[in-house]
Amino acid sequence: MKTEKITRRGAIRKMAAVAAGVAVSGHMPALASVLASNSRPEDADGLPQDGPTVSTLKMEDFPLVYEGPDVVFHKLDDHLWIGNGHLMYNESVYLVEGEKSALLIDTGTRIADLNGIVAQFTDKPIDVALTHIHPDHAGSVGCFDHIWMTQAEGVSVPRGYTGKVSYMDNYQKFDLGGRTLEVFYAPGHTPDSVLFIDEANHIGISGDAFGSTNLLMNCTLSTFVNTARDTLAMMYDKKIYYMLPGHFDGTNAETTKRVYDLLNIAQGVLDGKLEGEPARGNLNRIYTYQGVRFNYNDRLIR
Ligand SMILES: [Zn+2]
C-alpha cells in the first residue's frame, strides 16, 4: 500500500516536472513543513503533497496573435488562445477550438467587438461560458446572444444582459469535436465558480477559483476546503498539470502543489492555527504565501 502510493506520487511528480520543464526537488513542500505539526494527520495522509509550486509557463514564449486597445491575444497551442485585458489585472479570456465548435471561456471587463476578434481565430461556431459572473469576467457578454453560466444562491444574470442564458450542470461536457471541456463546480471565491477541465490535454481553466494571484474568499472557508480537496483529487486523477487562471500573467498557472497549499491555508485558518494580517474592506484578513494572497472575512471562518 505504502510502496504503491510512493510510486504513484513519484510518477506524477515526474510527469508534472516534464510538463513544467523543471526539475522538482524531492523535498517536502515548505508550507507543508510549516504546517506539519498543525495539519490533521488524516488530511496529510490522504492527499498528494508534491509537484512544482509555480509553473514555468511564460507568456512571451507564446506567439502574439492580436493586439488591440482592449485586449492582447496569445496563442497557447494550435487550438487554444488567451486574451488578456488590462482594466483590472490581466483579466483572461480563453478560446478553445474543436473540430466542430469552439468555446470562449469568460469575456473580460470590457472588450469592444470581442465576438469579432475571436472570430478571427476560428471559423467554428463559438459558444460562451463563464467561470463566474464577476464583472471582470462577464463584462463583455453583450457581444454574444447566448451564454452559459452557473446557477447558485445569490447569483443573477450579468447586469443588463438580454440574450439567452443556459445553466451548466456539474460535470457537464462541452464536446467541441476532438476536444472536450468538462465543467467542475468549485465554490469558494464565489458560489458560482466553476473550472473547465480539458483532460486529454492535461489542463484546466480555473477562473478565480484558485488564486489568480489573489484569492478572494466570498464563501465560507469550509466550502473552499471541500472544493480544494475535490479539485486536488480530480487533478491527480485526471493528470491535470496546470489550471490557467482568470488573471493569468504568464507565470501563475495553478499547480497541484498550489491547490494543496491553498487547501492547507484555508484548513489552517479554519482550525485556528493560522491567522491572516488585518486588511481593509469586507475581506478583512490576508494570509500571504509564495505569491498568493489569500483574502478572507474573519466572520466567515466556519
Ligand atoms: Zn472573480
Side-chain angles (χ1 to χ4, degrees):
M1 185 68 190
K2 191 82 185 165
T3 312
E4 191 187 314
K5 195 168 168 186
I6 289 165
T7 306
R8 181 172 172 263
R9 277 189 189 177
I12 290 166
R13 181 195 299 143
K14 206 170 172 184
M15 285 184 298
V18 169
V22 292
V24 178
S25 85
H27 294 127
M28 201 178 177
L31 182 67
S33 308
V34 170
L35 294 174
S37 57
N38 296 334
S39 59
R40 298 185 303 187
E42 65 267 30
D43 294 345
D45 202 37
L47 289 168
Q49 302 170 26
D50 49 16
T53 296
V54 291
S55 76
T56 54
L57 299 178
K58 287 198 200 76
M59 198 70 89
E60 57 264 34
D61 293 342
F62 300 100
L64 175 71
V65 291
Y66 176 88
E67 198 165 10
D70 299 331
V71 67
V72 170
F73 270 88
H74 286 82
K75 192 170 184 170
L76 295 179
D77 73 28
D78 281 346
H79 304 281
L80 174 63
W81 295 261
I82 176 175
N84 277 319
H86 54 77
L87 294 179
M88 287 286 282
Y89 171 74
N90 285 306
E91 57 272 37
S92 304
V93 309
Y94 296 91
L95 179 70
V96 189
E97 182 192 52
E99 285 151 15
K100 57 179 200 209
S101 63
L103 188 67
L104 178 68
I105 296 173
D106 286 345
T107 65
T109 308
R110 194 177 59 244
I111 303 172
D113 192 35
L114 179 58
N115 51 333
I117 296 169
V118 290
Q120 296 175 26
F121 307 136
T122 179
D123 55 3
K124 310 288 188 310
I126 300 171
D127 265 326
V128 176
L130 303 175
T131 59
H132 62 303
I133 54 101
H134 273 167
D136 49 334
H137 299 263
S140 314
V141 286
C143 293
F144 304 92
D145 56 15
H146 175 214
I147 56 167
W148 289 90
M149 59 177 280
T150 304
Q151 215 157 18
E153 205 183 325
V155 171
S156 48
V157 170
R159 190 194 295 253
Y161 185 67
T162 54
K164 184 186 168 201
V165 174
S166 301
Y167 293 99
M168 295 181 284
D169 291 326
N170 205 6
Y171 312 121
Q172 175 175 332
K173 287 182 176 163
F174 287 92
D175 177 4
L176 311 179
R179 195 150 188 170
T180 300
L181 291 163
E182 184 175 9
V183 175
F184 194 93
Y185 282 9
H189 169 61
T190 60
D192 64 328
S193 287
V194 297
L195 317 172
F196 294 89
I197 302 302
D198 180 348
E199 184 173 356
N201 292 290
H202 306 292
I203 54 166
I205 290 169
S206 56
D208 293 347
F210 291 98
S212 279
T213 67
N214 205 0
L215 183 49
L216 309 177
M217 201 51 51
N218 293 303
C219 296
T220 62
L221 288 174
S222 46
T223 300
F224 177 73
V225 163
N226 286 334
T227 287
R229 178 175 300 280
D230 291 350
T231 298
L232 198 50
M234 178 274 294
M235 287 179 81
Y236 271 84
D237 254 21
K238 296 184 185 291
K239 300 181 177 62
I240 303 302
Y241 304 133
Y242 295 127
M243 289 196 295
L244 302 166
H247 298 262
F248 185 44
D249 64 11
T251 64
N252 60 328
E254 304 298 314
T255 61
T256 49
K257 166 67 167 54
R258 206 100 115 193
V259 174
Y260 177 80
D261 288 346
L262 290 166
L263 167 61
N264 263 324
I265 292 170
Q267 188 69 61
V269 173
L270 203 51
D271 291 346
K273 309 253 167 80
L274 297 178
E275 188 177 50
E277 298 292 320
R280 280 195 218 225
N282 180 45
L283 300 179
N284 61 356
R285 295 273 166 184
I286 298 184
Y287 189 88
T288 304
Y289 177 73
Q290 291 197 344
V292 174
R293 296 195 298 166
F294 185 83
N295 304 247
Y296 63 98
N297 180 328
D298 62 11
R299 289 178 298 280
L300 287 177
I301 302 177
R302 59 176 191 269

